[in-house]
Amino acid sequence: SQQGEEDPQALSIQEGENATMNCSYKTSINNLQWYRQNSGRGLVHLILIRSNEREKHSGRLRVTLDTSKKSSSLLITASRAADTASYFCATGPMDNYGQNFVFGPGTRLSVLP
Amino acid sequence: DADVTQTPRNRITKTGKRIMLECSQTKGHDRMYWYRQDPGLGLRLIYYSFDVKDINKGEISDGYSVSRQAQAKFSLSLESAIPNQTALYFCATSDWGGLVSDEQFFGPGTRLTVL
């Protein structure tokens, strides 16, 4: 199965509400990244958190990382219709030389006006 | 201009045909990747290249081959296309952040349909 798996698979909220997505992984990681994908388009990097960090902010985004539970969460505050997209976590393994990121299947977020 | 470009953006072909998807980047990154995306499965790595002389198989390389013609160019070929290779294909690049790759920069994707 995937190294990173997002939860929930789909999320529908009203504009202005907060959206929380979770990512769980199996093996030790060096870093974890979150990406956004608008329908049918390329992925856009949102934020990277390293294994020695617990929380990181970028604008309306807040990412947490709990290495003991092998999980991360992405919080989008005050959501907007433009936040409607799929969100993916990607894990960079600890023994990474020669290896690469593994993407989860994604969470589809719908923000209703 | 986009940093990572892919051609073609859409392609419809028939079973058994040889297809080449091309990727070019202006970011100056050494590392380049090819992924395919199927509905509900996220992205799966096909091949990756850490420099011009380094090519590595990814998770799902069977039925595919690649060529790294230059630092800026990385092509993906389907030797004999089959319908289950119908998917959205993405090229990506990344820099070398010490021990691990940093963020990846994605192209706009190529939608390939094999009839």
Side-chain angles (χ1 to χ4, degrees):
Chain A
S1 61
Q2 300 273 3
Q3 157 75 328
E5 296 205 11
E6 295 89 348
D7 170 61
Q9 291 186 341
L11 178 61
S12 185
I13 60 174
Q14 295 294 130
E15 205 165 21
E17 294 180 339
N18 295 341
T20 300
M21 289 158 268
N22 303 296
C23 172
S24 60
Y25 57 92
K26 295 181 172 61
T27 61
S28 296
I29 61 171
N30 180 281
N31 65 63
L32 185 145
Q33 303 180 21
W34 285 91
Y35 288 81
R36 185 180 83 180
Q37 183 184 32
N38 290 93
S39 181
R41 307 183 80 170
L43 278 70
V44 175
H45 180 263
L46 295 175
I47 197 164
L48 179 155
I49 187 166
R50 301 197 183 278
S51 60
N52 61 353
E53 297 176 311
R54 292 296 167 259
E55 188 171 313
K56 206 161 183 181
H57 296 256
S58 177
R60 293 183 296 112
L61 306 180
R62 173 179 169 250
V63 169
T64 62
L65 179 64
D66 187 334
T67 53
S68 67
K69 295 182 179 178
K70 292 187 169 56
S71 68
S72 173
S73 67
L74 170 66
L75 168 67
I76 304 174
T77 60
S79 64
R80 305 167 182 168
D83 294 329
T84 295
S86 291
Y87 292 82
F88 297 87
C89 69
T91 52
M94 181 66 76
D95 298 322
N96 195 63
Y97 189 78
Q99 299 183 33
N100 295 281
F101 293 107
V102 179
F103 287 82
T107 292
R108 292 190 314 279
L109 173 65
S110 297
V111 180
L112 306 175
Chain B
D1 288 340
D3 294 320
V4 184
T5 57
Q6 293 182 233
T7 56
R9 294 294 311 279
N10 289 282
R11 182 71 183 268
I12 300 174
T13 191
K14 295 182 179 179
T15 297
K17 294 291 188 182
R18 186 177 188 274
I19 297 297
M20 179 180 284
L21 309 182
E22 300 190 3
C23 176
S24 294
Q25 53 116 346
T26 58
K27 298 195 74 66
H29 290 165
D30 285 327
R31 299 188 162 200
M32 298 188 73
Y33 311 79
W34 275 104
Y35 294 91
R36 67 176 277 176
Q37 184 178 33
D38 299 276
L41 293 180
L43 276 72
R44 291 183 290 168
L45 183 64
I46 306 172
Y47 269 94
Y48 60 101
S49 169
F50 283 175
D51 64 41
V52 175
K53 297 180 180 179
D54 180 81
I55 303 288
N56 303 281
K57 293 182 178 180
E59 180 187 353
I60 52 164
S61 59
D62 287 349
Y64 301 94
S65 63
V66 290
S67 173
R68 185 79 184 268
Q69 300 96 323
Q71 188 206 38
K73 295 184 181 297
F74 193 35
S75 300
L76 176 72
S77 293
L78 286 67
E79 300 301 325
S80 180
I82 56 177
N84 75 1
Q85 291 177 314
T86 293
L88 192 53
Y89 289 84
F90 288 103
C91 173
T93 74
S94 70
D95 206 348
W96 174 235
L99 288 176
V100 299
S101 298
D102 283 336
E103 66 175 283
Q104 298 194 346
F105 295 84
F106 284 81
T110 294
R111 188 169 296 280
L112 176 66
T113 303
V114 183
L115 302 176

